[in-house]
Amino acid sequence: MSESLQARIERVLLGGRRKYTRHEVAEKAGVPLERATELWRSLGFASVGDDEVVFTDNDVEALRMVQELADLGLYDLSVQNSIARVLGQHVSRIAEMEIHVLRELVAAQPALLQDERGFARFIDRLIPDLERLHNFTWRRQLAAYAGRALAAPEEPLEEGSQAVGFADMVGYTSLTRRSSETELASVLERFETTVTQSIAEHRGRVVKMLGDEVLFVADTPQAGADIALTLVELAEKDPELPSLRAGLAYGRVLSRFGDIYGSTVNIASRLTSICHPGAVLIDSEMAAALEGDRAYVIRQRRPVSVRGFHRLKPSVLRRA
């Protein structure tokens, strides 16, 4: 790709030419330089020198909007940084994925780069469509989360009882040693597709993917149980996937900026680490919540000691 094409695509993506230093962009936006720099770093971008011309009119406008929201009292400075960190982390993954797809397209059709003007026009048409898709997804997720939050307005939004589950691929380390990059990418894609679809179908939520592992939550013990059982069952039936194992716990969970914390999360993680392939282990709170539900069979195992928990009381969960 020539430098002229790179510059043209960059202008499309950034919404204009780079023409301001960090001092100039902060001054134009009416934001203290230290505050602007702090937000820039929270978004996950590297620091820039005083004389580097890297910012555009869109950067000025974004800083102004942040300042206006702060002036309205919507959030304080610490919340701004937290929001910026979450945005930076998640949006960077989306951008990486989309550029990867674009690179594969170019690799499969190298003639696309022969007509540089045509390729630049293609990018110019593509970006607005991606923006609309991102906006649509964000609004749908916002509506879904608002629905859950407003269903119980008396309960603190950050804290509540949920079913927390981990599921991971068995033998992933050995799989990485004996597989090519293409084969490993195929397995991970299959894993991510399986778990995200199954969790969504059972009204759960993916908190995060951790390579060969997924962390999810569900509002009820039954939903959490169905998700975990479905995941291990689908993996056993799929010749392209290694076996999965899952750990489930039920209790109070602290939700903060898209992630979850607390002993319930830690217990679910520990249960997963001691679980046999193709099985689901649950803690005593989950077992008590599911007791009497004829859809499940629960068999207690001997108490075990794991890191951070003495005499943890696991049970094996199966469908009736």
Side-chain angles (χ1 to χ4, degrees):
M1 186 184 299
S2 70
E3 290 186 10
S4 61
L5 178 58
Q6 288 180 341
R8 188 179 293 121
I9 291 175
E10 183 182 82
R11 286 197 297 273
V12 170
L13 296 176
L14 297 181
R17 296 179 181 274
R18 298 177 185 257
K19 53 185 179 180
Y20 304 121
T21 65
R22 67 191 191 100
H23 288 272
E24 291 169 339
V25 76
E27 183 180 359
K28 284 183 171 293
V31 177
L33 176 61
E34 183 179 349
R35 183 75 202 118
T37 302
E38 192 175 10
L39 283 170
W40 180 255
R41 289 171 179 166
S42 294
L43 286 168
F45 298 119
S47 299
V48 297
D50 289 345
D51 58 348
E52 292 185 68
V53 180
V54 298
F55 298 103
T56 70
D57 288 322
N58 278 355
D59 294 306
V60 175
E61 184 61 28
L63 270 179
R64 282 177 180 158
M65 285 190 292
V66 170
Q67 189 60 48
E68 287 171 3
L69 292 172
D71 292 342
L72 289 172
L74 184 61
Y75 41 58
D76 59 25
L77 297 184
S78 64
V79 175
Q80 285 183 26
N81 288 339
S82 297
I83 292 174
R85 281 196 300 271
V86 173
L87 278 174
Q89 291 167 11
H90 290 274
V91 175
S92 67
R93 291 189 63 192
I94 295 171
E96 181 182 6
M97 179 271 295
E98 290 170 342
I99 293 301
H100 178 74
V101 171
L102 186 60
R103 285 188 61 183
E104 288 188 334
L105 174 64
V106 171
Q109 303 179 46
L112 285 173
L113 291 181
Q114 293 177 3
D115 179 8
E116 292 193 351
R117 290 181 179 273
F119 188 70
R121 287 194 296 270
F122 167 73
I123 297 296
D124 201 13
R125 293 195 303 270
L126 176 66
I127 295 306
D129 289 341
L130 287 177
E131 283 182 333
R132 284 191 288 269
L133 180 59
H134 294 171
N135 191 50
F136 162 78
T137 307
W138 170 69
R139 284 178 175 271
R140 294 295 301 187
Q141 291 287 3
L142 199 62
Y145 190 79
R148 292 194 297 269
L150 296 177
E154 72 284 352
E155 188 171 86
L157 187 61
E158 298 85 4
E159 194 172 339
S161 293
Q162 288 185 302
V164 178
F166 283 89
D168 68 9
M169 288 191 282
V170 179
Y172 178 74
T173 301
S174 61
L175 177 68
T176 59
R177 288 198 296 263
R178 68 174 186 267
S179 302
S180 66
E181 289 186 4
T182 301
E183 291 169 338
L184 186 60
S186 176
V187 171
L188 289 172
E189 176 66 25
R190 187 81 170 178
F191 171 68
E192 291 185 5
T193 300
T194 299
V195 299
T196 52
Q197 290 181 352
S198 298
I199 291 169
E201 286 173 2
H202 290 86
R203 299 185 181 278
R205 179 174 69 85
V206 174
V207 178
K208 55 188 172 184
M209 302 291 301
L210 303 166
D212 63 325
E213 186 176 50
V214 61
L215 168 60
F216 64 89
V217 293
D219 290 336
T220 66
Q222 289 76 13
D226 286 339
I227 289 170
L229 290 167
T230 299
L231 291 179
V232 297
E233 290 163 358
L234 289 175
E236 291 302 305
K237 295 175 184 178
D238 192 335
E240 297 183 25
L241 273 180
S243 293
L244 299 184
R245 56 184 182 175
L248 273 175
Y250 184 70
R252 304 293 290 181
V253 177
L254 173 65
S255 298
R256 179 173 171 81
F257 300 115
D259 209 341
I260 57 174
Y261 306 88
S263 61
T264 303
V265 181
N266 296 332
I267 290 172
S269 176
R270 303 296 185 269
L271 289 172
T272 307
S273 68
I274 62 173
C275 187
H276 292 301
V280 177
L281 279 185
I282 62 175
D283 75 332
S284 56
E285 295 296 326
M286 176 67 77
L290 295 175
E291 187 177 3
D293 193 322
R294 296 185 178 182
Y296 312 103
V297 173
I298 299 171
R299 294 187 178 177
Q300 288 188 351
R301 286 177 50 178
R302 277 188 258 177
V304 295
S305 293
V306 295
R307 182 165 55 90
F309 298 94
H310 182 60
R311 292 184 62 80
L312 191 64
K313 297 178 180 179
S315 297
V316 177
L317 176 69
R318 295 190 178 96
R319 294 195 192 277

